[in-house]
PDB file of all heavy atoms in Angstrom:
ATOM      1  N   ASP Y   1       5.073 -26.158 -16.117  1.00 93.00           N
ATOM      2  CA  ASP Y   1       4.638 -24.769 -15.618  1.00 93.00           C
ATOM      3  C   ASP Y   1       3.139 -24.567 -15.542  1.00 93.00           C
ATOM      4  O   ASP Y   1       2.690 -23.663 -14.804  1.00 93.00           O
ATOM      5  CB  ASP Y   1       5.221 -23.746 -16.538  1.00 93.00           C
ATOM      6  CG  ASP Y   1       6.725 -23.688 -16.586  1.00 93.00           C
ATOM      7  OD1 ASP Y   1       7.358 -24.045 -15.574  1.00 93.00           O
ATOM      8  OD2 ASP Y   1       7.322 -23.517 -17.693  1.00 93.00           O
ATOM      9  N   ARG Y   2       2.316 -25.457 -16.257  1.00 95.00           N
ATOM     10  CA  ARG Y   2       0.861 -25.090 -16.314  1.00 95.00           C
ATOM     11  C   ARG Y   2       0.159 -25.476 -15.067  1.00 95.00           C
ATOM     12  O   ARG Y   2      -0.955 -24.981 -14.773  1.00 95.00           O
ATOM     13  CB  ARG Y   2       0.300 -25.876 -17.462  1.00 95.00           C
ATOM     14  CG  ARG Y   2       0.892 -25.402 -18.843  1.00 95.00           C
ATOM     15  CD  ARG Y   2       0.203 -26.140 -19.983  1.00 95.00           C
ATOM     16  NE  ARG Y   2      -1.230 -25.890 -20.147  1.00 95.00           N
ATOM     17  CZ  ARG Y   2      -2.022 -26.285 -20.953  1.00 95.00           C
ATOM     18  NH1 ARG Y   2      -1.500 -27.189 -21.909  1.00 95.00           N
ATOM     19  NH2 ARG Y   2      -3.390 -26.106 -21.027  1.00 95.00           N
ATOM     20  N   LEU Y   3       0.724 -26.406 -14.240  1.00 96.00           N
ATOM     21  CA  LEU Y   3      -0.010 -26.835 -13.023  1.00 96.00           C
ATOM     22  C   LEU Y   3       0.962 -26.723 -11.806  1.00 96.00           C
ATOM     23  O   LEU Y   3       1.541 -27.718 -11.248  1.00 96.00           O
ATOM     24  CB  LEU Y   3      -0.384 -28.364 -13.141  1.00 96.00           C
ATOM     25  CG  LEU Y   3      -1.294 -28.726 -14.357  1.00 96.00           C
ATOM     26  CD1 LEU Y   3      -1.427 -30.190 -14.593  1.00 96.00           C
ATOM     27  CD2 LEU Y   3      -2.656 -28.064 -14.167  1.00 96.00           C
ATOM     28  N   PRO Y   4       1.223 -25.462 -11.390  1.00 95.00           N
ATOM     29  CA  PRO Y   4       2.125 -25.212 -10.313  1.00 95.00           C
ATOM     30  C   PRO Y   4       1.869 -25.988  -9.052  1.00 95.00           C
ATOM     31  O   PRO Y   4       2.797 -26.300  -8.261  1.00 95.00           O
ATOM     32  CB  PRO Y   4       2.074 -23.695 -10.155  1.00 95.00           C
ATOM     33  CG  PRO Y   4       0.811 -23.306 -10.677  1.00 95.00           C
ATOM     34  CD  PRO Y   4       0.457 -24.252 -11.845  1.00 95.00           C
ATOM     35  N   GLN Y   5       0.599 -26.346  -8.760  1.00 96.00           N
ATOM     36  CA  GLN Y   5       0.288 -27.109  -7.584  1.00 96.00           C
ATOM     37  C   GLN Y   5       0.843 -28.477  -7.623  1.00 96.00           C
ATOM     38  O   GLN Y   5       0.906 -29.195  -6.523  1.00 96.00           O
ATOM     39  CB  GLN Y   5      -1.237 -27.061  -7.382  1.00 96.00           C
ATOM     40  CG  GLN Y   5      -2.105 -27.924  -8.362  1.00 96.00           C
ATOM     41  CD  GLN Y   5      -2.399 -27.107  -9.610  1.00 96.00           C
ATOM     42  OE1 GLN Y   5      -1.739 -26.157 -10.014  1.00 96.00           O
ATOM     43  NE2 GLN Y   5      -3.523 -27.588 -10.298  1.00 96.00           N
ATOM     44  N   LEU Y   6       1.204 -28.991  -8.851  1.00 97.00           N
ATOM     45  CA  LEU Y   6       1.723 -30.321  -8.881  1.00 97.00           C
ATOM     46  C   LEU Y   6       3.281 -30.316  -9.154  1.00 97.00           C
ATOM     47  O   LEU Y   6       3.803 -31.424  -9.282  1.00 97.00           O
ATOM     48  CB  LEU Y   6       1.130 -31.051 -10.147  1.00 97.00           C
ATOM     49  CG  LEU Y   6      -0.400 -31.361 -10.021  1.00 97.00           C
ATOM     50  CD1 LEU Y   6      -0.894 -32.081 -11.282  1.00 97.00           C
ATOM     51  CD2 LEU Y   6      -0.818 -32.129  -8.785  1.00 97.00           C
ATOM     52  N   GLN Y   7       3.818 -29.269  -8.972  1.00 96.00           N
ATOM     53  CA  GLN Y   7       5.329 -29.065  -9.181  1.00 96.00           C
ATOM     54  C   GLN Y   7       6.041 -30.066  -8.304  1.00 96.00           C
ATOM     55  O   GLN Y   7       5.856 -30.057  -6.997  1.00 96.00           O
ATOM     56  CB  GLN Y   7       5.823 -27.689  -8.985  1.00 96.00           C
ATOM     57  CG  GLN Y   7       7.307 -27.495  -9.272  1.00 96.00           C
ATOM     58  CD  GLN Y   7       7.591 -27.670 -10.769  1.00 96.00           C
ATOM     59  OE1 GLN Y   7       8.565 -28.351 -11.033  1.00 96.00           O
ATOM     60  NE2 GLN Y   7       6.762 -27.114 -11.665  1.00 96.00           N
ATOM     61  N   GLY Y   8       6.778 -30.997  -8.835  1.00 97.00           N
ATOM     62  CA  GLY Y   8       7.602 -31.877  -7.988  1.00 97.00           C
ATOM     63  C   GLY Y   8       6.839 -33.150  -7.565  1.00 97.00           C
ATOM     64  O   GLY Y   8       7.389 -33.949  -6.799  1.00 97.00           O
ATOM     65  N   ALA Y   9       5.557 -33.266  -7.909  1.00 98.00           N
ATOM     66  CA  ALA Y   9       4.811 -34.355  -7.406  1.00 98.00           C
ATOM     67  C   ALA Y   9       4.863 -35.542  -8.357  1.00 98.00           C
ATOM     68  O   ALA Y   9       4.879 -35.281  -9.656  1.00 98.00           O
ATOM     69  CB  ALA Y   9       3.339 -33.938  -7.219  1.00 98.00           C
ATOM     70  N   TYR Y  10       4.808 -36.745  -7.846  1.00 98.00           N
ATOM     71  CA  TYR Y  10       4.721 -37.951  -8.708  1.00 98.00           C
ATOM     72  C   TYR Y  10       3.208 -38.158  -8.952  1.00 98.00           C
ATOM     73  O   TYR Y  10       2.310 -38.272  -8.075  1.00 98.00           O
ATOM     74  CB  TYR Y  10       5.227 -39.200  -7.842  1.00 98.00           C
ATOM     75  CG  TYR Y  10       5.032 -40.518  -8.644  1.00 98.00           C
ATOM     76  CD1 TYR Y  10       5.888 -40.746  -9.690  1.00 98.00           C
ATOM     77  CD2 TYR Y  10       4.137 -41.470  -8.279  1.00 98.00           C
ATOM     78  CE1 TYR Y  10       5.746 -42.007 -10.418  1.00 98.00           C
ATOM     79  CE2 TYR Y  10       3.954 -42.679  -8.877  1.00 98.00           C
ATOM     80  CZ  TYR Y  10       4.902 -42.942  -9.915  1.00 98.00           C
ATOM     81  OH  TYR Y  10       4.767 -44.143 -10.643  1.00 98.00           O
ATOM     82  N   VAL Y  11       2.833 -38.206 -10.327  1.00 98.00           N
ATOM     83  CA  VAL Y  11       1.417 -38.400 -10.776  1.00 98.00           C
ATOM     84  C   VAL Y  11       1.237 -39.664 -11.367  1.00 98.00           C
ATOM     85  O   VAL Y  11       2.005 -40.087 -12.262  1.00 98.00           O
ATOM     86  CB  VAL Y  11       1.210 -37.194 -11.701  1.00 98.00           C
ATOM     87  CG1 VAL Y  11      -0.308 -37.387 -12.191  1.00 98.00           C
ATOM     88  CG2 VAL Y  11       1.461 -35.837 -11.237  1.00 98.00           C
ATOM     89  N   TYR Y  12       0.202 -40.372 -10.913  1.00 98.00           N
ATOM     90  CA  TYR Y  12       0.048 -41.828 -11.294  1.00 98.00           C
ATOM     91  C   TYR Y  12      -1.544 -42.029 -11.304  1.00 98.00           C
ATOM     92  O   TYR Y  12      -2.260 -41.185 -10.834  1.00 98.00           O
ATOM     93  CB  TYR Y  12       0.737 -42.783 -10.496  1.00 98.00           C
ATOM     94  CG  TYR Y  12       0.257 -42.788  -8.998  1.00 98.00           C
ATOM     95  CD1 TYR Y  12      -0.605 -43.792  -8.548  1.00 98.00           C
ATOM     96  CD2 TYR Y  12       0.678 -41.820  -8.159  1.00 98.00           C
ATOM     97  CE1 TYR Y  12      -1.102 -43.830  -7.217  1.00 98.00           C
ATOM     98  CE2 TYR Y  12       0.325 -41.875  -6.760  1.00 98.00           C
ATOM     99  CZ  TYR Y  12      -0.571 -42.848  -6.358  1.00 98.00           C
ATOM    100  OH  TYR Y  12      -0.986 -42.899  -5.082  1.00 98.00           O
ATOM    101  N   GLY Y  13      -1.955 -43.222 -11.849  1.00 98.00           N
ATOM    102  CA  GLY Y  13      -3.366 -43.445 -11.968  1.00 98.00           C
ATOM    103  C   GLY Y  13      -3.712 -44.982 -11.928  1.00 98.00           C
ATOM    104  O   GLY Y  13      -2.835 -45.780 -11.615  1.00 98.00           O
ATOM    105  N   ASP Y  14      -4.918 -45.238 -12.322  1.00 98.00           N
ATOM    106  CA  ASP Y  14      -5.426 -46.563 -12.246  1.00 98.00           C
ATOM    107  C   ASP Y  14      -6.141 -46.939 -13.544  1.00 98.00           C
ATOM    108  O   ASP Y  14      -7.116 -46.140 -13.881  1.00 98.00           O
ATOM    109  CB  ASP Y  14      -6.303 -46.832 -11.074  1.00 98.00           C
ATOM    110  CG  ASP Y  14      -6.693 -48.286 -10.789  1.00 98.00           C
ATOM    111  OD1 ASP Y  14      -5.886 -49.077 -10.560  1.00 98.00           O
ATOM    112  OD2 ASP Y  14      -7.954 -48.595 -11.168  1.00 98.00           O
ATOM    113  N   TYR Y  15      -5.862 -48.105 -14.137  1.00 97.00           N
ATOM    114  CA  TYR Y  15      -6.588 -48.418 -15.372  1.00 97.00           C
ATOM    115  C   TYR Y  15      -8.056 -48.692 -15.218  1.00 97.00           C
ATOM    116  O   TYR Y  15      -8.886 -48.310 -16.089  1.00 97.00           O
ATOM    117  CB  TYR Y  15      -5.905 -49.703 -15.967  1.00 97.00           C
ATOM    118  CG  TYR Y  15      -6.550 -50.232 -17.176  1.00 97.00           C
ATOM    119  CD1 TYR Y  15      -6.291 -49.707 -18.471  1.00 97.00           C
ATOM    120  CD2 TYR Y  15      -7.463 -51.321 -17.117  1.00 97.00           C
ATOM    121  CE1 TYR Y  15      -6.818 -50.212 -19.654  1.00 97.00           C
ATOM    122  CE2 TYR Y  15      -8.007 -51.721 -18.224  1.00 97.00           C
ATOM    123  CZ  TYR Y  15      -7.822 -51.308 -19.518  1.00 97.00           C
ATOM    124  OH  TYR Y  15      -8.454 -51.714 -20.538  1.00 97.00           O
ATOM    125  N   SER Y  16      -8.360 -49.334 -14.104  1.00 97.00           N
ATOM    126  CA  SER Y  16      -9.718 -49.921 -13.922  1.00 97.00           C
ATOM    127  C   SER Y  16     -10.665 -48.819 -13.464  1.00 97.00           C
ATOM    128  O   SER Y  16     -11.912 -48.701 -13.887  1.00 97.00           O
ATOM    129  CB  SER Y  16      -9.722 -51.081 -13.007  1.00 97.00           C
ATOM    130  OG  SER Y  16      -9.044 -52.149 -13.490  1.00 97.00           O
ATOM    131  N   THR Y  17     -10.239 -47.938 -12.561  1.00 97.00           N
ATOM    132  CA  THR Y  17     -11.195 -46.976 -12.010  1.00 97.00           C
ATOM    133  C   THR Y  17     -11.054 -45.507 -12.647  1.00 97.00           C
ATOM    134  O   THR Y  17     -11.831 -44.733 -12.401  1.00 97.00           O
ATOM    135  CB  THR Y  17     -10.905 -46.832 -10.470  1.00 97.00           C
ATOM    136  OG1 THR Y  17      -9.651 -46.237 -10.201  1.00 97.00           O
ATOM    137  CG2 THR Y  17     -10.994 -48.125  -9.794  1.00 97.00           C
ATOM    138  N   GLY Y  18      -9.906 -45.259 -13.308  1.00 97.00           N
ATOM    139  CA  GLY Y  18      -9.737 -44.046 -13.922  1.00 97.00           C
ATOM    140  C   GLY Y  18      -9.208 -42.934 -12.942  1.00 97.00           C
ATOM    141  O   GLY Y  18      -9.144 -41.811 -13.395  1.00 97.00           O
ATOM    142  N   LYS Y  19      -9.066 -43.234 -11.759  1.00 98.00           N
ATOM    143  CA  LYS Y  19      -8.592 -42.232 -10.751  1.00 98.00           C
ATOM    144  C   LYS Y  19      -7.222 -41.869 -10.927  1.00 98.00           C
ATOM    145  O   LYS Y  19      -6.397 -42.768 -11.459  1.00 98.00           O
ATOM    146  CB  LYS Y  19      -8.816 -42.787  -9.386  1.00 98.00           C
ATOM    147  CG  LYS Y  19     -10.247 -42.901  -8.947  1.00 98.00           C
ATOM    148  CD  LYS Y  19     -10.440 -43.399  -7.537  1.00 98.00           C
ATOM    149  CE  LYS Y  19     -11.866 -43.515  -7.055  1.00 98.00           C
ATOM    150  NZ  LYS Y  19     -12.526 -42.248  -7.005  1.00 98.00           N
ATOM    151  N   ILE Y  20      -6.876 -40.596 -10.657  1.00 98.00           N
ATOM    152  CA  ILE Y  20      -5.503 -40.168 -10.686  1.00 98.00           C
ATOM    153  C   ILE Y  20      -5.057 -39.521  -9.419  1.00 98.00           C
ATOM    154  O   ILE Y  20      -5.876 -38.711  -8.845  1.00 98.00           O
ATOM    155  CB  ILE Y  20      -5.335 -39.082 -11.834  1.00 98.00           C
ATOM    156  CG1 ILE Y  20      -5.642 -39.705 -13.227  1.00 98.00           C
ATOM    157  CG2 ILE Y  20      -3.918 -38.553 -11.839  1.00 98.00           C
ATOM    158  CD1 ILE Y  20      -5.613 -38.758 -14.362  1.00 98.00           C
ATOM    159  N   TRP Y  21      -3.844 -39.830  -8.944  1.00 98.00           N
ATOM    160  CA  TRP Y  21      -3.446 -39.291  -7.731  1.00 98.00           C
ATOM    161  C   TRP Y  21      -2.120 -38.535  -7.939  1.00 98.00           C
ATOM    162  O   TRP Y  21      -1.417 -38.741  -8.931  1.00 98.00           O
ATOM    163  CB  TRP Y  21      -3.138 -40.390  -6.620  1.00 98.00           C
ATOM    164  CG  TRP Y  21      -4.394 -41.195  -6.274  1.00 98.00           C
ATOM    165  CD1 TRP Y  21      -5.185 -40.909  -5.276  1.00 98.00           C
ATOM    166  CD2 TRP Y  21      -4.869 -42.287  -6.845  1.00 98.00           C
ATOM    167  NE1 TRP Y  21      -6.215 -41.894  -5.150  1.00 98.00           N
ATOM    168  CE2 TRP Y  21      -6.059 -42.772  -6.225  1.00 98.00           C
ATOM    169  CE3 TRP Y  21      -4.503 -43.074  -7.982  1.00 98.00           C
ATOM    170  CZ2 TRP Y  21      -6.786 -43.868  -6.467  1.00 98.00           C
ATOM    171  CZ3 TRP Y  21      -5.213 -44.258  -8.334  1.00 98.00           C
ATOM    172  CH2 TRP Y  21      -6.415 -44.510  -7.611  1.00 98.00           C
ATOM    173  N   ALA Y  22      -1.674 -37.757  -6.928  1.00 98.00           N
ATOM    174  CA  ALA Y  22      -0.409 -37.141  -6.922  1.00 98.00           C
ATOM    175  C   ALA Y  22       0.148 -37.111  -5.554  1.00 98.00           C
ATOM    176  O   ALA Y  22      -0.588 -37.084  -4.500  1.00 98.00           O
ATOM    177  CB  ALA Y  22      -0.440 -35.758  -7.480  1.00 98.00           C
ATOM    178  N   GLY Y  23       1.464 -37.223  -5.354  1.00 98.00           N
ATOM    179  CA  GLY Y  23       2.073 -37.199  -4.042  1.00 98.00           C
ATOM    180  C   GLY Y  23       3.470 -36.743  -4.078  1.00 98.00           C
ATOM    181  O   GLY Y  23       4.178 -36.810  -5.195  1.00 98.00           O
ATOM    182  N   ARG Y  24       3.993 -36.114  -3.056  1.00 98.00           N
ATOM    183  CA  ARG Y  24       5.342 -35.636  -2.875  1.00 98.00           C
ATOM    184  C   ARG Y  24       6.072 -36.345  -1.773  1.00 98.00           C
ATOM    185  O   ARG Y  24       5.511 -36.685  -0.743  1.00 98.00           O
ATOM    186  CB  ARG Y  24       5.416 -34.152  -2.694  1.00 98.00           C
ATOM    187  CG  ARG Y  24       4.948 -33.261  -3.807  1.00 98.00           C
ATOM    188  CD  ARG Y  24       5.297 -31.814  -3.497  1.00 98.00           C
ATOM    189  NE  ARG Y  24       4.821 -30.914  -4.574  1.00 98.00           N
ATOM    190  CZ  ARG Y  24       3.541 -30.429  -4.475  1.00 98.00           C
ATOM    191  NH1 ARG Y  24       2.796 -30.675  -3.491  1.00 98.00           N
ATOM    192  NH2 ARG Y  24       3.118 -29.644  -5.520  1.00 98.00           N
ATOM    193  N   HIS Y  25       7.384 -36.592  -2.014  1.00 98.00           N
ATOM    194  CA  HIS Y  25       8.275 -37.179  -1.147  1.00 98.00           C
ATOM    195  C   HIS Y  25       9.492 -36.308  -0.940  1.00 98.00           C
ATOM    196  O   HIS Y  25      10.044 -35.909  -1.956  1.00 98.00           O
ATOM    197  CB  HIS Y  25       8.658 -38.596  -1.586  1.00 98.00           C
ATOM    198  CG  HIS Y  25       9.276 -39.425  -0.484  1.00 98.00           C
ATOM    199  ND1 HIS Y  25      10.573 -39.275   0.038  1.00 98.00           N
ATOM    200  CD2 HIS Y  25       8.673 -40.520   0.280  1.00 98.00           C
ATOM    201  CE1 HIS Y  25      10.868 -40.186   0.899  1.00 98.00           C
ATOM    202  NE2 HIS Y  25       9.827 -40.919   1.114  1.00 98.00           N
TER     203      HIS Y  25
END
Protein backbone atom coordinates (compact mmCIF):
# COMPACT_ATOMS: atom_id res chain seq x y z
CA ASP A 1 0.00 0.00 0.00
CA ARG A 2 2.91 2.41 0.59
CA LEU A 3 3.92 2.72 -3.08
CA PRO A 4 0.67 2.86 -5.11
CA GLN A 5 2.56 3.75 -8.29
CA LEU A 6 4.18 0.30 -8.17
CA GLN A 7 0.99 -1.67 -7.54
CA GLY A 8 1.10 -4.86 -9.60
CA ALA A 9 4.58 -4.14 -10.98
CA TYR A 10 7.46 -6.61 -11.03
CA VAL A 11 10.37 -4.97 -9.19
CA TYR A 12 13.93 -6.20 -9.76
CA GLY A 13 17.50 -4.93 -9.75
CA ASP A 14 21.18 -5.47 -10.49
CA TYR A 15 23.96 -6.55 -8.15
CA SER A 16 26.76 -4.75 -9.96
CA THR A 17 25.19 -1.38 -10.79
CA GLY A 18 22.66 -1.07 -7.95
CA LYS A 19 19.92 0.00 -10.34
CA ILE A 20 16.30 -1.00 -9.69
CA TRP A 21 13.56 -1.26 -12.31
CA ALA A 22 9.84 -1.98 -12.32
CA GLY A 23 7.54 -3.15 -15.08
CA ARG A 24 3.97 -4.30 -15.66
CA HIS A 25 2.64 -6.96 -17.98
